[in-house]
Amino acid sequence: NNNAIKEISVVAGSFSAEYGHVSSGIVNVVTNSGGKDYHGNIELATDNWQGAKHSFDQNFYSGDFSGPVPGLEKGSFFFSGERRWLGDRDSSAAQKEMAEANNLESILGDNYHRLPKNSLSGWSWQGKFDYNFTPTLKLGLSTNGSVDNWQEYRHTYLFDLAHMPKYNDKNAGYNAKLTHTLNANVFYNVSFSYFSTYRFRGDGVAFDNIRAYDLRAVNPEEDDQNLFFQDGSYWANYLKRKSSYVGLKGDITNKVNEKHTLKAGFDFQ
């Protein structure tokens, strides 16, 4: 949800010491915080207004809500979420021409201007809680994540659409940050973060049923494209991957004068 973004900065070329482990570029995103008043937005974007034959079935629904936390005079919150449904993730005006040129209308169906079995259904969210202990001591808690269930069109499976590869992706992040201003020129930050990512990929029918990956008709090692479409045929690629990390970071900044600023810190992952 774009309403959750307050500021984006891009750092390229020479990096400061805190980005010593990066070799290409840095993109910093600052998210919005809640204020003293309640605010909310709801947005809808779709290309289905003129019917299925004139759209790629692209749908986005998003909303956000922010304001003070009831009962906490010094606390505020911001929450945003997005629901998305894409009938064809890789929509292209050339798809209709290619289907007609190769006489694929009967195989792809009425909506042959879209790639079949190439959809995505997903959610994403972002939340933030801020609390000011004092004018100089602030705590920020935030979370963000997404869940996507999607399929990938592969032309080698044109005559076996049901077995196009299927994916399930999940991402979640959590962060706590304490900011303390010591005086007009010196402040420090301490933050703790956790992030996890998960992907499951498998056949469009068997998917996570590992026992269903039992192709008896042929040797899957000799038939990786499933040329022999018989009962029991499947996309021979099963993947389950999960990774996570914990981070601890701290820094202190001292504005020495109008031309010089000193900054030191640490980063552990």
Side-chain angles (χ1 to χ4, degrees):
N1 187 345
N2 292 332
N3 291 330
I5 300 175
K6 179 180 180 180
E7 176 185 326
I8 298 178
S9 61
V10 179
V11 181
S14 300
F15 305 120
S16 58
E18 63 182 307
Y19 302 122
H21 61 289
V22 176
S23 59
S24 54
I26 309 285
V27 178
N28 285 322
V29 179
V30 179
T31 55
N32 272 318
S33 298
K36 296 181 180 180
D37 301 316
Y38 291 106
H39 293 279
N41 296 283
I42 296 178
E43 296 181 2
L44 164 65
T46 181
D47 66 350
N48 279 321
W49 300 112
Q50 295 182 333
K53 291 187 177 182
H54 302 281
S55 76
F56 293 103
D57 200 12
Q58 308 283 298
N59 307 277
F60 298 88
Y61 316 93
S62 61
D64 60 83
F65 187 64
S66 63
V69 178
L72 286 179
E73 181 181 354
K74 300 179 181 179
S76 63
F77 72 92
F78 183 96
F79 178 80
S80 69
E82 180 182 82
R83 172 74 169 104
R84 53 191 170 275
W85 165 260
L86 309 179
D88 182 0
R89 299 180 301 105
D90 305 309
S91 55
S92 170
Q95 167 61 21
K96 181 178 180 180
E97 297 178 5
M98 293 177 62
E100 293 174 344
N102 293 280
N103 300 314
L104 298 177
E105 299 96 317
S106 59
I107 299 174
L108 300 180
D110 293 338
N111 300 322
Y112 59 84
H113 59 290
R114 305 176 189 168
L115 287 175
K117 298 295 182 179
N118 199 50
S119 62
L120 180 147
S121 175
W123 296 83
S124 61
W125 68 88
Q126 184 270 331
K128 192 173 184 180
F129 168 77
D130 294 290
Y131 187 80
N132 299 328
F133 294 100
T134 68
T136 61
L137 184 61
K138 302 178 180 180
L139 173 66
L141 304 176
S142 62
T143 180
N144 63 81
S146 63
V147 177
D148 288 306
N149 294 293
W150 54 287
Q151 283 197 274
E152 180 184 18
Y153 173 82
R154 298 266 181 123
H155 196 64
T156 51
Y157 279 71
L158 177 63
F159 299 101
D160 194 20
L161 295 176
H163 291 275
M164 294 281 186
K166 185 178 179 181
Y167 296 75
N168 175 234
D169 293 338
K170 299 178 182 178
N171 300 284
Y174 307 91
N175 181 268
K177 182 178 181 180
L178 186 69
T179 300
H180 190 193
T181 301
L182 301 179
N183 55 54
N185 297 317
V186 181
F187 70 91
Y188 68 85
N189 300 295
V190 178
S191 63
F192 173 82
S193 60
Y194 171 80
F195 177 78
S196 66
T197 181
Y198 167 89
R199 165 167 285 188
F200 189 91
R201 181 182 67 202
D203 174 76
V205 177
F207 196 49
D208 57 352
N209 182 8
I210 186 65
R211 296 183 181 277
Y213 291 78
D214 182 18
L215 186 59
R216 300 176 184 272
V218 296
N219 184 346
E221 293 184 0
E222 304 298 331
D223 183 30
D224 59 348
Q225 299 298 336
N226 271 350
L227 297 178
F228 302 94
F229 298 119
Q230 304 178 35
D231 292 339
S233 174
Y234 60 83
W235 188 65
N237 194 310
Y238 182 96
L239 169 71
K240 186 175 183 179
R241 180 185 67 208
K242 182 178 181 180
S243 61
S244 61
Y245 78 82
V246 174
L248 180 63
K249 182 178 180 180
D251 61 70
I252 184 170
T253 302
N254 182 8
K255 183 179 180 181
V256 180
N257 53 48
E258 293 296 329
K259 296 183 178 181
H260 299 90
T261 299
L262 295 178
K263 187 173 183 178
F266 66 91
D267 187 3
F268 171 80
Q269 294 183 3

